[in-house]
Amino acid sequence: MISKVLIANRGEIALRVLRACKELGIATVAVHSTADADAMHVRLADESVCIGPPPSRDSYLNIHQIVAACEITGADAVHPGYGFLSENAKFADILDAHGITFIGPTADHIRIMGDKITAKKTALELGIPVVPGSDGEVREDDALEVARQIGFPVLIKATAGGGGRGMKVAHNEEELSEAVSTARSEALAAFGNDAVYMEKYLAKPRHIEIQVVGDGEGNAIHLGERDCSLQRRHQKVWEEANSPALNREQRMAIGKICADAMKKLKYRGAGTVEFLYENGEFYFIEMNTRLQVEHPITEAITGIDLVHEQIRVASGGGLSVTQDDIVFSGHAIECRINAEDPRTFVPSPGTITHFHAPGGLGVRVDSGAYQGYRIPPYYDSLIGKLIVHGRTRVECMMRLRRVLDEFVIDGIKTTLPLFQDLINNQDIANGDYDIHWLENYLAETTPPKAQ
Ligand code: ADP
């Protein structure tokens, strides 16, 4: 059994995990950098340990400090949240060697899914449909032959990829060699690994992902899908569950394929199988072996607490539900509130002078922000998530409009005004959008910057 969890993260997700631990009667340890000493996750934890100076590599990514903090406090498990060390197989191995439970999958599964070529091969073997592409790595000398086989346009992607970096489109033979070399150098700069592969570039897909949870013993379930097509620079901005594009039959069919795959893999913990969806077909792009930022919309429509399930399976207690217990109810939308200019997306750190979170039926705000909070400039600009649930998509949108009017964050710029625009847009109302919709919309509606 797990009795004390160290939360190796910060911000809203540290708070999210802390809340689940409290509900389960598990003691909590927060870790923080010197920049986060007054953060909400530190204030609400039973104990806290300062693990270093502001830069992430010296604090939230510092494995030695985190293991030392476990030993000092007697924490017997670590929840990594998302980002930082959540998909670091070496971290999972080191915790294991110290007899500390990693609340997540096995290090081997993290490794398999962390390398995109291995992940795609594994997905194929497990019966998951994948995007047509190269068998493995491509190089300058074989890129043309591979691209001709796949057919233009093609996308060059980094095998170590993440966050949309190291990705380049080539529309024709002329653009190919430059796309390969740019993708390579971006990948080297971002991940220290310049290996790239090639995929068919899908013109107007939606991004649809399936939430799975496994017990590590061969039982696994799916919790339906999330539609995360509204993206900017491959970063998700607004997410919905269910997808406006799928019916129940399609949902259950793709969900079953993913759950069956996780059973075969004996996957442990929460995970997300990500697909592009076009003309009724699903194409696997990657699997994330962790909790996702957008997990609360799945919780809203299923009533299942995903962090509770993660902790249960990590301590060998199995899943609390079977597939037949899962009932999908209503519709949920998440808006990511970033401390950024709502049009240029330039970060806007600073002090929040006034903060008022909305409330009422079907409203959830996950945020570590409060009045007087100083947002440090060192980390991701996500300062909160607004999750709204309704019995239907129409009711959910009506509620979201009301809630956005109620939300006040002063002193810094946030992405709230963007959502106020989106909620009044006809395409959004119709659920009629693909992964390029938001960028096109921003290009059409943002006045060019004054020189
Ligand atoms: P990362 O790990 O860098 O986020 P992903 O493989 O998850 O990379 O892809 C991120 C986003 O890039 C997708 O949500 C989609 O918008 C776009 N994308 C990825 N692969 C393709 C493809 N083959 N065709 C078109 N768009 C793609």
Side-chain angles (χ1 to χ4, degrees):
M1 285 311 289
I2 291 172
S3 60
K4 194 188 264 194
V5 170
L6 181 141
I7 302 160
N9 216 300
R10 64 181 298 282
E12 68 85 20
I13 195 61
L15 211 50
R16 164 71 190 91
V17 173
L18 193 143
R19 287 177 173 143
C21 293
K22 289 200 176 212
E23 287 171 10
L24 296 171
I26 296 172
T28 51
V29 180
V31 292
H32 64 90
S33 70
T34 50
D36 279 339
D38 57 356
M40 198 54 97
H41 75 277
V42 178
R43 296 185 189 198
L44 293 186
D46 297 315
E47 289 170 75
S48 64
V49 181
C50 180
I51 49 166
S56 307
R57 64 175 181 279
D58 300 325
S59 49
Y60 298 104
L61 291 172
N62 188 330
I63 295 178
H64 295 293
Q65 290 284 51
I66 292 170
V67 172
C70 286
E71 298 198 326
I72 292 164
T73 57
D76 51 4
V78 169
H79 194 300
Y82 52 68
F84 293 130
L85 296 168
S86 60
E87 290 174 293
N88 186 314
K90 191 174 118 200
F91 182 53
D93 276 335
I94 290 173
L95 290 180
D96 197 40
H98 283 77
I100 301 164
T101 302
F102 176 71
I103 302 176
T106 62
D108 281 348
H109 287 162
I110 298 176
R111 258 183 213 110
I112 289 171
M113 296 303 172
D115 178 274
K116 299 216 172 186
I117 291 178
T118 321
K120 267 183 93 171
K121 279 193 184 132
T122 309
L124 254 181
E125 284 162 19
L126 293 170
I128 296 174
V130 305
V131 193
S134 57
D135 277 340
E137 226 183 290
V138 288
R139 313 187 148 274
E140 279 79 356
D141 54 4
D142 63 0
L144 186 58
E145 197 187 321
V146 179
R148 281 180 179 154
Q149 277 164 15
I150 299 172
F152 285 97
V154 294
L155 186 64
I156 317 298
K157 297 171 82 170
T159 61
R165 282 171 301 178
M167 241 188 254
K168 286 281 164 272
V169 187
H171 294 94
N172 48 48
E173 296 192 1
E174 290 69 52
E175 289 177 10
L176 187 65
S177 69
E178 184 166 344
V180 173
S181 56
T182 320
R184 260 195 197 297
S185 50
E186 266 188 39
L188 184 66
F191 314 110
N193 174 353
D194 72 350
V196 294
Y197 65 108
M198 198 185 293
E199 266 177 10
K200 170 112 202 111
Y201 180 69
L202 300 171
K204 286 174 168 289
R206 298 181 79 111
H207 174 116
I208 297 183
E209 56 186 36
I210 306 292
Q211 177 70 54
V212 291
V213 198
D215 68 358
E217 311 280 330
N219 295 308
I221 58 170
H222 74 87
L223 297 175
E225 84 282 13
R226 295 183 285 260
D227 192 318
C228 311
S229 302
L230 289 174
Q231 304 180 351
R232 180 186 168 268
R233 298 205 176 150
H234 306 299
Q235 300 287 331
K236 298 162 189 169
V237 172
W238 154 308
E239 302 101 348
E240 312 196 28
N242 305 308
S243 168
L246 295 192
N247 60 33
R248 184 175 162 85
E249 205 181 312
Q250 291 168 307
R251 165 171 316 114
M252 297 314 275
I254 189 68
K256 183 171 188 314
I257 289 174
C258 295
D260 286 349
M262 293 306 116
K263 287 178 189 168
K264 278 187 225 159
L265 199 60
K266 288 200 163 67
Y267 185 77
R268 183 184 71 212
T272 300
V273 189
E274 295 196 334
F275 295 94
L276 294 178
Y277 174 78
E278 195 173 62
N279 300 327
E281 301 286 336
F282 285 94
Y283 302 98
F284 171 88
I285 44 173
E286 68 167 340
M287 177 168 179
N288 292 321
T289 52
R290 55 168 162 83
L291 196 64
Q292 306 259 117
V293 175
E294 60 274 20
H295 77 277
I297 53 175
T298 299
E299 297 184 325
I301 63 160
T302 60
I304 308 286
D305 186 311
L306 280 164
V307 180
H308 283 192
E309 295 303 314
Q310 287 187 299
I311 294 172
R312 277 184 69 107
V313 297
S315 49
L319 294 165
S320 74
V321 282
T322 65
Q323 191 69 56
D324 291 342
D325 297 327
I326 307 297
V327 179
F328 298 102
S329 164
H331 193 89
I333 296 176
E334 174 181 274
C335 299
R336 296 195 189 195
I337 318 286
N338 290 347
E340 287 172 357
D341 182 290
R343 286 286 154 174
T344 61
F345 299 90
V346 172
S348 174
T351 301
I352 296 178
T353 54
H354 192 70
F355 186 88
H356 172 80
L361 180 65
V363 180
R364 169 173 172 181
V365 176
D366 276 19
S367 173
Y370 53 89
Q371 192 156 320
Y373 176 59
R374 199 167 42 82
I375 300 162
Y378 311 104
Y379 313 106
D380 190 284
S381 56
L382 182 80
I383 54 161
K385 305 185 309 205
L386 171 62
I387 303 101
V388 175
H389 182 237
R391 288 173 302 170
T392 59
R393 185 166 189 269
V394 170
E395 186 179 86
C396 185
M397 296 277 283
M398 278 164 44
R399 186 161 286 151
L400 180 56
R401 176 176 290 112
R402 183 272 291 175
V403 163
L404 285 167
D405 278 344
E406 215 173 296
F407 211 148
V408 181
I409 305 176
D410 287 339
I412 54 157
K413 289 181 184 171
T414 74
T415 44
L416 278 171
L418 171 65
F419 299 115
Q420 274 165 328
D421 290 345
L422 294 181
I423 196 82
N424 289 314
N425 183 279
Q426 198 54 47
D427 289 346
I428 301 292
N430 297 339
D432 183 13
Y433 53 78
D434 60 38
I435 59 167
H436 306 296
W437 187 93
L438 183 60
E439 298 235 353
N440 292 338
Y441 169 81
L442 291 167
E444 283 161 17
T445 54
T446 306
K449 256 206 258 160
Q451 293 299 308

